[in-house]
Amino acid sequence: MSAKSLAVATPSGRSRALLIDDAEYSTTVIRQGSPIPWTDTTMATTHFDQVRALLNPDALWVDMGRLFLAHTDSRPDLVTAMGARTRVGYPLRTLLTDSDVLAASREMMETVAKTARRQLLLHVPSPASWLATAHEIAGNPLSEVDADRADSASMYIAEWLGQLGSLPVALVLLDARNASLAETLADYTAVTNVSSHFGWTPAMWQDERIDTAQDHASIGLIGAGFWTGDTDAPVPDADVLVTTIPASASPERVLDQLAKLS
């Protein structure tokens, strides 16, 4: 499965695949301000089925940063384990190799995908970002994340992705927008190799664009203004469209704008 497969035959029936970062919007509209129940398979399945019914995305957007944060928030023992060593990268590797988190998150994603009949988009912090965040959670913040440290973190992320091969993933989207150093998809061959092995599309989200390998589907960004009243917000010419619906968007306008993308 890949982003290209979505572009060839969209589950929604749209002319082009639409992938929606809905976490803030669905928290406001569906959850009425309550957090998304990432750690509860039954409740998460209900939530994502409601997302599919409301927005009809061509793949379900799974925010791995939020998912793992929900687990660390509920597992003080895991946070303690992450901080047990001062070695750079130890908190991230401890987090990604925790057997309970891996089993619970994999079960949740498998059930969500099967119930909603959609592939998944894994929205993953970039190696530099996730490395820094894990150290912050563990109470051992890093003064600097350089390219070598980020590369080591990418190995941990690749190992973790290797445990998710049974999932129907279309896209692995590394988010480098908040990273402390410049990152490119070419920097992380371990991640791209694992993704390609499973037939997933690897991509990297930069400030103004999403980069993919040349042989994969092109991905264009629709700005948040499209959903909040910017009448000039462009819809790019790309195989797959990615967008974030802000929490402030009105449900009526969102439905109207979704109809324009059909």
Side-chain angles (χ1 to χ4, degrees), residues 38 63-73 78 95-98 101-102 105 109 130 137 160:
W38 297 106
D63 190 318
M64 303 309 304
R66 293 174 187 264
L67 187 155
F68 275 84
L69 184 59
H71 279 283
T72 54
D73 283 348
L78 176 56
L95 176 64
L96 294 178
T97 58
D98 184 89
V101 174
L102 178 62
S105 57
M109 289 188 283
W130 216 352
I137 292 171
W160 163 71

Side-chain angles (χ1 to χ4, degrees), residues 14 18 222-233 235 245 249-262:
R14 295 186 181 93
L18 178 64
I222 299 176
F226 180 83
W227 307 102
T228 57
D230 182 357
T231 57
D232 296 324
V235 176
I245 302 181
S250 74
E252 294 79 11
R253 179 172 176 81
V254 167
L255 291 178
D256 288 344
Q257 296 300 88
L258 284 172
K260 294 179 181 179
L261 299 173
S262 62

Side-chain angles (χ1 to χ4, degrees), residues 79-242:
V79 175
T80 299
M82 290 168 62
R85 300 285 187 276
T86 59
R87 186 171 69 250
V88 174
Y90 185 84
L92 180 60
R93 186 164 197 176
T94 301
L95 176 64
L96 294 178
T97 58
D98 184 89
S99 59
D100 291 338
V101 174
L102 178 62
S105 57
R106 188 165 51 198
E107 177 190 25
M108 184 274 286
M109 289 188 283
E110 286 176 346
T111 305
V112 161
K114 181 178 180 180
T115 302
R117 301 181 300 281
R118 287 291 188 272
Q119 295 181 52
L120 304 175
L121 182 158
L122 303 187
H123 177 201
V124 181
S126 72
S129 294
W130 216 352
L131 176 66
T133 298
H135 273 270
E136 289 282 351
I137 292 171
N140 179 25
L142 294 173
S143 59
E144 178 187 15
V145 176
D146 59 22
D148 287 339
R149 289 175 170 180
D151 183 59
S152 294
S154 76
M155 302 292 185
Y156 306 149
I157 294 172
E159 290 174 5
W160 163 71
L161 287 171
Q163 304 298 309
L164 305 179
S166 62
L167 297 177
V169 174
L171 181 66
V172 176
L173 181 57
L174 299 176
D175 193 339
R177 291 175 298 169
N178 296 317
S180 59
L181 77 160
E183 296 174 279
T184 69
L185 195 61
D187 295 331
Y188 302 124
T189 55
V191 173
T192 58
N193 286 344
V194 169
S195 299
S196 298
H197 173 73
F198 291 129
W200 308 338
T201 295
M204 179 162 282
W205 197 348
Q206 307 287 1
D207 287 338
E208 302 295 336
R209 68 185 192 278
I210 293 178
D211 297 328
T212 59
Q214 288 185 345
D215 58 338
H216 287 279
S218 61
I219 300 177
L221 280 170
I222 299 176
F226 180 83
W227 307 102
T228 57
D230 182 357
T231 57
D232 296 324
V235 176
D237 182 15
D239 299 321
V240 176
L241 301 174
V242 168

